[in-house]
Amino acid sequence: MVQAIQIHRHGGPEELRIVDLPVGEPGPGEVRIRHRAIGLNFIDVYFRTGLYASALPLVPGGEGAGVIEAVGPGVTHLAVGDRAAYAGPQGSYCEARVMPAATVCKLPDAIDFDTGAAMMLKGLTAQYLLRKCKPVEGLQPGDFVLFHAAAGGVGLIACQWARALGLQLIGTAGSDDKCALALANGAAHAINYTREDFAARVQEITGGRGVKVVYDSVGKDTWEGSLSCLRPFGLMVSFGNASGPVPPFAPGILGAKGSLYVTRQTLFTHMATRESTQAMADDLFAVVTSGQVKIHIGQRFALQDVQQAHRALEARKTTGCTILTLP
């Protein structure tokens, strides 16, 4: 038996309950991993509240790092005793789990377990956003992009990675301290959206040209303003709903604002194969081990304090990455 956090019905943080669950042997294509640290992400809130559908009861969480305890038939890239980390299906809020091996990657010796747990889902998200979601004419050094929630876990990684790629990232955040954090991590400009009209400020920064890409995990509250930030043929990349889902809109608005493109992205489409997952992870491991991207862990909570962690996350009281720790 292992200790785990489980929900039996959708709702608030109080629905996250400590339980004891059995953990079996891995089947074909599976591994059993003993967690040393677990990542916390806003998508966990979506599963807890029911915004994202899931069968109940559910052990939330899609990110972790630890040691491989057992390997099922057909798994060749991992062995018992390997240090490993993953972004994968829900189920990480536990001491150990059996899971598909396809999204589990060997963790380089230079990266510790806390960092591994904090970086996989967020770092791989930043990887596909900056390296794969590009406008028709591509991105070149010096180009402006807008990144909402720039002081969050994905945001701070994206700020640093964008700087390494030569991009001028304009970040938004909800306080002066968070803006300063984004700037310290590579953002070329930062906008406190509680004090400024971010769309007007983006036009000022770009000399009225607008940005080539907007990366938006906020959703409802930033949608219209984000479209107004784009230059003609610009790309709106929606990848989250922290303020609520984007309401239905008439496609004609995209034409009126400059023949814009819109895409709704999810990480696991990009991780559909073992090969694509490993290639993305190798890219992430390279920028982290080189020092171009540092993983900032702003908060640590014991696994048993997961309710408190969710409350802090939803209240936007966190910066950088948050992890759940184990004894």
Side-chain angles (χ1 to χ4, degrees):
M1 303 289 282
V2 298
Q3 193 170 82
I5 305 298
Q6 193 174 62
I7 61 171
H8 288 260
R9 63 181 181 181
H10 296 123
E14 68 278 0
E15 298 299 336
L16 297 160
R17 307 291 177 84
I18 301 173
V19 298
D20 289 323
L21 294 176
V23 56
E25 296 299 318
E30 294 181 330
V31 295
R32 186 173 72 237
I33 183 169
R34 175 71 55 173
H35 289 134
R36 298 291 182 85
I38 300 158
L40 185 76
N41 296 280
F42 214 96
I43 192 173
D44 304 348
V45 174
Y46 302 156
F47 280 102
R48 192 201 74 220
T49 61
L51 178 62
Y52 287 2
S54 61
L56 298 178
L58 171 73
V59 175
E63 184 177 42
V67 177
I68 300 298
E69 285 190 331
V71 174
V75 177
T76 58
H77 69 287
L78 294 166
V80 172
D82 281 348
R83 303 171 69 255
Y86 67 87
Q90 293 290 290
S92 69
Y93 287 12
C94 60
E95 293 175 323
R97 68 182 293 197
V98 171
M99 64 176 295
T103 64
V104 183
C105 299
K106 287 184 67 172
L107 190 63
D109 291 340
I111 300 175
D112 61 42
F113 287 118
D114 283 8
T115 301
M119 69 183 273
M120 291 299 287
L121 192 145
K122 291 169 279 288
L124 294 175
T125 298
Q127 195 276 346
Y128 83 73
L129 290 173
L130 292 171
R131 306 281 275 171
K132 296 185 175 185
C133 296
K134 298 179 181 179
V136 172
E137 56 190 23
L139 286 171
Q140 304 297 327
D143 283 343
F144 285 100
V145 299
L146 176 65
F147 206 103
H148 289 299
V154 177
L156 289 181
I157 295 172
C159 285
Q160 298 172 76
W161 209 328
R163 176 176 58 187
L165 294 172
L167 302 175
Q168 297 194 67
L169 184 146
I170 304 170
T172 71
S175 71
D176 289 344
D177 286 345
K178 288 187 175 183
C179 285
L181 187 59
L183 290 169
N185 281 274
H189 304 271
I191 303 168
N192 183 340
Y193 61 77
T194 67
R195 293 194 295 101
E196 294 186 274
D197 178 338
F198 74 82
R201 181 73 179 114
V202 164
Q203 293 300 326
E204 181 182 340
I205 291 169
T206 63
R209 297 188 303 276
V211 299
K212 278 191 174 182
V213 188
V214 175
Y215 302 102
D216 189 351
S217 63
V218 177
K220 176 174 62 69
D221 290 353
T222 51
W223 180 259
E224 290 190 14
S226 293
L227 293 180
S228 298
C229 292
L230 286 164
R231 61 188 293 178
F233 306 107
L235 175 63
M236 174 70 176
V237 181
S238 173
F239 68 104
N241 322 275
S243 67
V246 174
F249 65 95
I253 192 173
L254 303 176
K257 288 184 175 291
S259 300
L260 305 179
Y261 294 87
V262 172
T263 181
R264 178 59 168 92
Q265 295 283 312
T266 60
L267 171 61
F268 295 106
T269 308
H270 293 275
M271 296 173 62
T273 68
R274 162 102 275 279
E275 292 75 20
S276 63
T277 299
Q278 191 63 57
M280 293 171 67
D282 288 344
D283 199 13
L284 173 61
F285 294 155
V287 295
V288 171
T289 56
S290 72
Q292 291 178 302
V293 172
K294 292 180 172 58
I295 306 300
H296 295 274
I297 301 174
Q299 302 76 215
R300 288 175 169 85
F301 295 88
L303 179 63
Q304 295 84 350
D305 296 329
V306 66
Q307 292 185 6
Q308 180 184 347
H310 270 237
R311 290 189 180 99
L313 188 65
E314 289 184 278
R316 303 188 184 185
K317 293 181 178 178
T318 63
T319 57
C321 301
T322 303
I323 64 168
L324 304 174
T325 60
L326 297 156

